[in-house]
Amino acid sequence: MCYNNIMRKFLLSSFLFCMCITGAAGAEKNASAAQPLLIGGSFSTQANVSAKAHPFDDRARDSEIATLQEKLRNNQYKEVINRINTLTANDFVDDRFYLLLAIAFDGLNRYDDVIYTAGQAIAVAPQDARAYTLRAGAYLKHKNYERARIDVDTALKLNPSSRLAQQIKKELDAQTLKQPGKKVTSNSPKEIPTWLVIYAAVIILALLLFVYFRYEDLFRAKKPSYARKESEIKDQYDFIRQIGEGGMGKVYEAYDKSLKRKVAIKRVRPELVRSAYVREQFLSEARMVALLRHPCIVEIYTVIESENSLYLVFEYVDGQTLETRLDIDGRLPFSQVKEIFKHVCEGLAYAHAQDIIHCDLKPGNIMILEDNQAKVMDFGVAKKLDNQTGARTVAGTPAYMAPEQQRGFMRKQSDVYSLALCVYEALVGQVPWTVKGFNIAHKKIVPASKLAPHVPPAVDEVLADALKEDPKKRIQSIEEFWERLNAIEPLQDDHPETTHY
């Protein structure tokens, strides 16, 4: 009897112990099921959910899928993701959720999540081309072209008519520089780069143009647009002496045997008119300038073309150039500068009124007569102004050229710039670029009044405005320049000191 009681107590204790262990395990399991594991906003097959998912009939399943698809059509991607997370958290699962999640993440451009959920969709439905297509597009965004090509090829095998897969394949081919349907083999010839072809074509064209212009006469017969006047210049003129030399050629004093008068003849350097085309352009400009008739401009009488040379015949002026005067006197009083440049401005203003730009104004081209009268000479490189584009030329003297002229483009304001330089040199004795203290970096000149005490300070402002780098900010006309310069009265002590440069 005692033995039976002991056995009964032992069995009862064992049963209660087992029940306690079972209850603890069940509680732990339910606690885990209450909080499923979420990855990237979607569920994971590794989520510690209940092994027994709540069953639901096909009608509820299809209704839920239809609702999610409708939200996707309305671009409600976040709502789809939240709804699927809620359903899976409550053990309401369906294999189609993976594909729907992949579509939603693709709409939100969350391509890492697309790759993950599309991979889950492929695992449960390996014959569905849509999952491969979505993952291929995500790989393409990440520039993982190898995996993208594998997936898009698989999608097209499963569904050759998929437009989205075809579009992704086109984009992939474009980014990898491969033609659709062609395989790039290692032994295929490499294409020549386009830039190399263009470069070679430009070099060949440049060589052909050089040969053509250098030996132009060999390729075509000369067909001048006017009747050339061929004559031996020494039969008509007696050359007396050389009176000057510049970048365009040498100038001689000569005697016209026919008209019984002195003339000045410039012989243009042969290399400047070697090309028939350049020669025609030069003659056209010279004949145009020969039409200028003004008391302050040295007139061009005629242009003579011999077999190997080109000559410009000018009016002979008995005087000295401003360059020669400065060599003798060093610098000039402001009152005398005004007298000289009054005539210079009148001549230039007349030429500009005819839309002709001098292009080479400098002290050597300003002839001073008696009583400080002056004439502008050497319009031999002048250009006709195009009101739309200005004039293009590379002729001129570098020290007196405006910035835009140095780049090959001329306008009326370029002559204003050169005129201001001539006035500065007449007052100071040298051009601004050679003065000690000139700021090369900012092209800032030393004011003339600081170098020459006889110069009124108001002149500095006029010269500064005429020497601005930007032609649009510069004094715009010769008339305006002279009006401002003429308004300035000379100082009482208008006697310059001897230059000491």
Side-chain angles (χ1 to χ4, degrees), residues 321-363:
T321 64
L322 177 59
E323 181 180 26
T324 303
R325 176 72 65 86
L326 292 175
D327 287 339
I328 298 171
D329 297 337
R331 56 175 66 159
L332 303 179
F334 178 64
S335 57
Q336 188 175 342
V337 169
K338 285 181 63 176
E339 292 178 8
I340 294 172
F341 280 91
K342 175 182 182 295
H343 303 284
V344 174
C345 290
E346 288 178 0
L348 288 176
Y350 169 78
H352 284 191
Q354 314 303 315
D355 288 331
I356 296 176
I357 313 173
H358 189 284
C359 299
D360 193 23
L361 187 65
K362 58 184 178 180

